[in-house]
Each structure stands twice: as C-alpha cells, then as structure tokens.
Amino acid sequence: MTREEPEPEFPGHAPDSLYATPRGTGQFRFDAEVADVFQDMVERSVPGYASLIHGIAVLGGKYAQAGATCYDLGCSLGTAARALSARMGPEHPVLAIDSSPDMIAHCTRVPHSSVQYRCADIREVALETADVVVLNLTLQFLPPEDRLPLLRRIAEALRPGGALILTEKVRFDDPGEALMQKRYESFKRAQGYSELEISQKRTALEQVLVRDSSAAHRERLAAAGFDSITPWFQCLHFTSLLAIRRNAKPA
C-alpha cells in the first residue's frame, strides 16, 4: 500500500451516536452496538488514526519475510490487519484475532480480504512463529497482571529480529495529564462530539481501559525480551512503539 492507495473499504460505516443520549453508568463493551459504529468511533476518537494505520502497514512490511505469519491481536474490525495484508501481499499470511464475536462478524463481511479472522482470547491462543505482531490499542483493555505474560508469549513466538508494533493510550504525570486531557477533549469536540458524549464515553471507558505510562510500557517490553524499543508515533495521549525481539530467547 502506498500513501496514495486507499485502505480496503469497510462496509456498513455507521455514524457513532452511542453516547448522544443519557445511557447510565454501564461500562464500555465491544458488543454488536459498538461494532456497528466502531470504525467511525475510532476515526473520530484517535487523533492521527489514518496515519497510524498507514505507519503500521509500512513498518510491518519492513520486517515480514515471505511465508511468515503476521498477527493482529485484538484486531477489532481488522483495519490494521487489512492494511498489513494489502501492503505485503498474499505471500505473507495475516491472522487477525479478537475475543468479540460481534467484531469478528463484521470483519468477515469485508470483501476481497485475504486476512484470516479468528474469534479467541489472545491470552490463550497458541501463537506460531511470526515476523510481525500488532497490538493496536489492545493491551490497555487487558487486566494489568495479564500484560507481561502476553508480551512474553509474543516475544517467544517472534523470530529473532521480529517486530512488535504496540499502540496504547498512555498516562502522563500531572500537570501534563490534566493539560493533555483538556487538549484531547478539545480534539473530540472538533470531531463533532457533544459534552454529554465526551463525558459518558470517558466514564464508560474508565471502568475497562487502564492506562500505563510510556516508561512502564518500555520497562515491560524490555522484561518480556524486546530491545530497540523506539517510539515512532505520538499524538496527544496516543503512542506507538516499535519493539524488536532480541536474538536470544527471553529468560
């Protein structure tokens, strides 16, 4: 995929108005209601999202070898997986995994996609030898105690020199966090979200999305067996890291 090539089309791109009316205090879930509007939701909620997806595809293409498996773990609607597949071609199998059957159901309706989709818990699924693994806004939804074990399993699956692309919404120390939150809410207003939508979505996510600092992510990646941990994308709270697996297997 070059910069001029469009991302593979996603059908049923419904507008996100889930939080436009009062909804109570229920936690955010990746259910059918969210899946129906998720593409619009993520494009309007993650600053620089299109550039992020394009960069994941470009970076993934640099590290993939013909015949080696690439994973998109916690794929949601499979946007990163399809961009990777379109960039690399059919000689690079791309397996996209998500625990939400509603998300996977949407993925399988995408036409002309060679990505293989699987509904499974990424903490339990067996990982084959891989060149590239993508965790795009995924780790933050796992319980903190499950994050290092997953990263260790990914490091063990990657061939020496293989790449993990990890994108997360990170936490800053105050006063930086308070300032960044104000800027992020301004960004969401500019995307057409109302104060009610911003407030209700924030409350719903606070129950399920537990953020780490950038330093905590780097320390965990090093402990899991990665080095050359390089930030390549940053926009407001959103950071993406390129982590290369060491030549030796992690201890």
Side-chain angles (χ1 to χ4, degrees):
M1 181 189 296
T2 65
R3 187 171 296 275
E4 291 76 23
E5 292 172 333
E7 180 193 329
E9 181 181 357
F10 190 86
H13 189 122
D16 173 25
S17 59
L18 288 185
Y19 293 93
T21 57
R23 292 176 59 93
T25 57
Q27 70 179 27
F28 186 88
R29 299 180 185 278
F30 292 96
D31 55 16
E33 190 177 37
V34 168
D36 287 342
V37 302
F38 189 75
Q39 191 68 19
D40 184 58
M41 177 185 288
V42 72
E43 288 176 0
R44 294 168 62 200
S45 299
V46 179
Y49 184 72
S51 295
L52 174 63
I53 294 300
H54 176 78
I56 289 172
V58 171
L59 285 174
K62 298 293 184 183
Y63 288 91
Q65 297 180 358
T69 299
C70 300
Y71 286 98
D72 181 3
L73 300 180
C75 66
S76 61
L77 295 183
T79 305
R82 291 194 304 279
L84 269 172
S85 182
R87 176 82 185 186
M88 299 185 300
E91 67 272 20
H92 300 279
V94 177
L95 179 57
I97 302 172
D98 200 282
S99 62
S100 168
D102 297 302
M103 289 290 187
I104 294 298
H106 274 259
C107 290
T108 57
R109 296 203 293 266
V110 178
H112 313 301
S113 174
S114 60
V115 176
Q116 302 172 50
Y117 297 103
R118 183 184 303 173
C119 186
D121 190 327
I122 62 172
R123 295 169 294 181
E124 300 174 358
V125 69
L127 300 177
E128 301 175 2
T129 301
D131 277 351
V132 177
V133 175
V134 174
L135 283 171
N136 190 40
L137 302 171
T138 297
L139 201 66
Q140 60 199 22
F141 288 103
L142 296 183
E145 63 272 17
D146 291 344
R147 297 175 186 183
L148 180 56
L150 174 62
L151 292 176
R152 282 178 170 154
R153 289 205 306 115
I154 292 171
E156 290 169 358
L158 282 168
R159 65 170 180 81
L164 167 66
I165 304 172
L166 172 68
T167 310
E168 290 282 286
K169 184 179 181 183
V170 298
R171 171 180 52 79
F172 295 89
D173 294 329
D174 280 328
E177 173 63 27
L179 177 60
M180 198 64 71
Q181 183 63 32
K182 288 181 179 179
R183 290 174 175 170
Y184 181 52
E185 290 179 1
S186 294
F187 166 80
K188 295 195 76 172
R189 291 185 196 100
Q191 301 305 306
Y193 284 118
S194 68
E195 297 299 326
L196 178 63
E197 288 174 292
I198 293 169
S199 175
Q200 290 195 127
K201 177 79 173 296
R202 181 177 62 245
T203 299
L205 282 172
E206 283 173 349
Q207 302 178 59
V208 295
L209 194 163
V210 180
R211 291 180 289 152
D212 289 313
S213 67
S214 292
H217 281 296
R218 294 173 67 92
E219 291 170 6
R220 188 186 292 124
L221 286 166
F226 292 93
D227 56 11
S228 301
I229 302 164
T230 306
W232 67 272
F233 176 93
Q234 175 77 51
C235 194
L236 300 179
H237 289 95
F238 296 87
T239 297
S240 193
L241 302 170
L242 174 65
I244 308 303
R245 211 212 83 179
R246 297 174 185 148
N247 289 330
K249 290 245 181 219

